[in-house]
Amino acid sequence: MIQIIPSIVIRDGKVVRLLGGDPSKTKVYDESPIDLAMRFEDMGAEVVHLVDLDGARRGQPVNYHILEAIAGYTSLKVDFTGGIHTDGDISKAYEYGAKYITAASAAVSSKELFASWIISYGREKITLGADAMDGKIRIRGWEKETDIDLMDHIDYFYQRGLKYVKTTDIAKNGGLQGPSYNIYQAILDKFPDIRVLASGGVSKVEEIEKLNDMGVFAVIVGKALYEGQLDMNELKKFMQKVS
């Protein structure tokens, strides 16, 4: 059964969502990150995807205090991402309460280092963040373009033991226009043993059911939850204990 993972994106200490990855099209929510995390926990979530957007842009994590607060005030398992580039960054994230780490920019700038993390920290703890626009990887909070092909990028780390990949079709993010099924299907077809975390565009239970039928491991949802477009009562059938 597919997992439902709510996301919390932090910029300047506030919860935000980006529309299509465009920094000029940012919606700020009044609810605090801690209150939002507690609300997700009450809804039945087991894991939360915490994005340190300030850290992603700076190149090193910034919002450790929010990570620490969510880990301290809830029983949620936190998948922390944003600006992680060194072993020190990972150690500090774990120290402040992260259960899992997702890294994107480091996998581009320091490929061998990221590959080593899969071994040293374990396949269950490290997720590749592979977010793309028109099939090309973007990093640094989606603001930096690359010429790296999404499938080639995943393949490099798949050959080195990668188990989890989180992929966002940036053009879909925040738009509530449905997920990019073709991208997730292509990944699953080429890498049958990989676990895909789908992100971007989900707004209906039927879309989650389709992703589940495809074999997608988890779906990361944000705006649709914030704005009540997804009914948590309908999502409870997907809620399950995770390791």
Side-chain angles (χ1 to χ4, degrees), residues 127-168:
T127 298
L128 171 66
D131 302 328
M133 178 78 84
D134 299 325
K136 300 296 182 182
I137 295 292
R138 283 198 181 185
I139 56 175
R140 291 296 179 98
W142 300 343
E143 292 184 359
K144 184 177 180 180
E145 299 179 14
T146 77
D147 291 325
I148 300 170
D149 179 78
L150 171 63
M151 301 299 283
D152 291 345
H153 191 55
I154 296 172
D155 184 61
Y156 180 87
F157 296 107
Y158 182 75
Q159 299 300 327
R160 289 158 178 80
L162 181 72
K163 185 174 181 178
Y164 296 95
V165 59
K166 190 275 291 187
T167 299
T168 305

Side-chain angles (χ1 to χ4, degrees), residues 113-124 126 157 160-163:
L113 177 62
F114 181 86
S116 76
W117 291 346
I118 299 170
I119 305 302
S120 59
Y121 296 102
R123 301 172 71 211
E124 299 292 336
I126 301 294
F157 296 107
R160 289 158 178 80
L162 181 72
K163 185 174 181 178

Side-chain angles (χ1 to χ4, degrees), residues 18 36 49 61 80 89 105 131 139 141 147 149 162 178 184 187 194 196 203 210 216 224 228 231-232:
L18 302 183
L36 188 58
H49 183 65
F80 184 69
D89 293 335
S105 298
D131 302 328
I139 56 175
D147 291 325
D149 179 78
L162 181 72
Y184 306 127
I187 294 172
I194 212 161
V196 174
S203 64
K210 184 172 179 177
V216 170
D231 184 342
M232 284 306 296

